[in-house]
Each structure stands twice: as structure tokens, then as C-alpha cells.
Amino acid sequence: MVKLGVDASFWMDDRYEMRFLKLLEKAGFDSVWFGDHYLPWHHSFKHNFFVWPVMAAAAERTKKIKVGVDVTVPIGGRYHPALIAQAAGTLDNMYPGRFYLGVGTGEAMSEKRFMGRWPPWKERMERLVEALELIRRLWTSRDYFDFNGRYFTMPKTYLHLKPKRSIPIYFSAIGEKAAAYAGRYGDRLITANTLETCRDKIFPAFEKAAKEAGRDPKKIEKAVLVEGSIVDVERTIKRIKKIHAGATIMGNFDEEDPRKIEESGLSLTDEHVRKYYLLYENVDDLIGHLDRFRKIGAGHLIFTDFSPYPEKTIEIFRRRVIPYFKG
């Protein structure tokens, strides 16, 4: 059965009360996710919260819904991988079995300021793979050990607060090359792409690499971030152009100034936005599109809602979408 989640990053207000959490759990969602950025992707969206206390608060204010980060970047800029291992271990001890760890290679706007330089993609990927090796050893080693990697060196290191349960690592992949790395090194895949791109490029590259690594692709969960709205579409389009489209449609992952990212999004037409995002006023159309993701192998659908009314979105999912997928 497919899992249904929500990325609630763009539902935050300046009080951070997260009133939507109890509504999500009551509606029957499986997961809630939050992004991890130092600067927001777009200058006008000022709620660039530090994700780790937010996730702890989300788990404390609910009872069973899973809480995930999509995604953190343990490549030695903002975060050393040992700190991510410790943070994740702490959360899992506080809320056993309720934490998902998403990882990726990052964007310049959040990482370059900490690294002093912006490494090319290949180096960032190598750093991420090495970081996962260190994180997993810290989670499992029963004694002190020396870690001597290319990018990270830690003599006589040890983590006391090990996870009580296995924490699944969702490996982020936007392109085919990253999908192949995800198949080799991730516990699960997480991506944000169109149906066609997932079907024709991302999923095949992921499954091929997983199989070559001796893993059964059919047993590995593939999660897809599905971005859009089913409430007040015209107003949502304006909001998307201001706070999101400059990164996703324009591909400004190497741009370090959120103001420039926002400007590029504002230059887009409404038609550009409609082609990239799922913007439906008819719930049956949304259900049909989500179901097509399920049919091509997505096991976890995470809806990123950009409407200004999260309560309305949650209610539509409670009444129509969740019953369709879960009976």
C-alpha cells in the first residue's frame, strides 16, 4: 500500500505553531516532512527555520506520524556527518521509529557560505557517499574506531546515543547520475520530478544501480515529492512564482543569492508554472495523477502544497484522496 505524506515547509507562519500537525495525523497521513536550509530558496519566504528542533516539536505534538527531513546535507559545510549521526540518533531515542533521514548534495545558497567554496557536483557526491559510510559506522560500531576518509578524518570516534531502531536513509536524486548513486548507497530513493522523468529516467537508473549492487529493487521504497495545489489555484500560482519556481523550474541550485532565485521565478509565465506543478481544482484529476505515480512504482507520495490554506488541503485529502489509496 502506498504511503501518503506532506512536505509542510511552506505552511509555516511566523509563530511556528504548526497547527496543521494534529489535522494531518487525524486525516491519516503517514508522514510529514520539512526542508533544511540556512537561507530560504526565495527571499520573500522568510521562515527558514532550523529544522532539527522543528522535527522534535512535530514528533512531540503528534503520536505516531513519521517525521522526515527532505533533505539535510552532511558534506562538511553546515554539517559534519558525525553531527547528523548524533542528531538522528537523539531523535530516534526520543521518538523511536518515527524519524526519516533524507540526504542530498545541497544547494549553493545554503552550503557555500560555510564551505568557503562551492565544490563541483562530483566532489559533493563523493563527500555525501563518504558521509553516509561514517554515519552508518557511528550508528552501529560497538567500540571506538578511527575513520580515515578522503574528506573526513576522525580518530578514536564513537557515538553513545545510537538509534533504537534502524533509521531509513532517503537518498535524494534529481538527475539520472544521482539516481544511480541512490541505488548503490541509499536505503530508499527520494526525488522531485515529473511522472515521465521518474518513469523513463530516475526509476530505471535507480533500479539498475541497486540490482548491480546486489539489492532487490522491488524491495526498495521510492518516494516522490509531488508539488502543487488543489485550493485557490490562481492565487497559488502567484505564490509559487515568488517562493519556489525560481529554483525548481529555472534550476538555480548553484546560485547563492536567494534574491536572484526569486527574481528568476517571477519572470516565468503562469503557463510555465502550470506545466511543472500539479495544479488541479478537480480532486479526481489529482487522484488520477497520483495513482499514475503509484503504478510506475512510487511507494511513498509526498505532496508539497503551496496553497495559502493548509486546512482546506488536508480536509480534501481526508475526505477523498486518502480513502482512495487506503480504502
Side-chain angles (χ1 to χ4, degrees), residues 96-116:
R98 293 184 58 196
F99 176 59
Y100 292 148
L101 180 62
V103 299
T105 56
E107 300 95 24
M109 61 168 196
S110 283
E111 307 302 327
K112 184 178 178 181
R113 289 167 175 82
F114 294 88
M115 303 187 78

Side-chain angles (χ1 to χ4, degrees), residues 226-230 236 240 277-280 303-307:
V226 182
E227 300 164 327
S229 176
I230 48 175
T236 298
I240 286 173
Y277 295 83
L278 289 184
L279 299 166
Y280 293 126
F303 192 62
T304 305
D305 179 62
F306 292 99
S307 82

Side-chain angles (χ1 to χ4, degrees), residues 165-224:
R165 301 183 187 179
S166 177
I167 298 175
I169 296 177
Y170 286 76
F171 200 113
S172 175
I174 302 301
E176 287 182 84
K177 290 191 295 183
Y181 277 93
R184 288 192 289 270
Y185 301 106
D187 298 323
R188 299 174 184 179
L189 169 74
I190 186 167
T191 186
N193 272 297
T194 64
L195 178 79
E196 293 75 18
T197 301
C198 287
R199 180 193 63 204
D200 300 336
K201 297 180 179 180
I202 304 301
F203 287 4
F206 173 79
E207 291 169 357
K208 180 176 182 290
K211 190 173 182 179
E212 290 173 350
R215 308 168 68 198
D216 184 353
K218 295 180 181 179
K219 295 181 179 180
I220 306 174
E221 180 183 292
K222 296 185 284 290
V224 179

Side-chain angles (χ1 to χ4, degrees), residues 73-84:
V73 186
I75 64 171
R78 283 184 300 152
Y79 300 127
H80 190 284
L83 293 180
I84 297 302

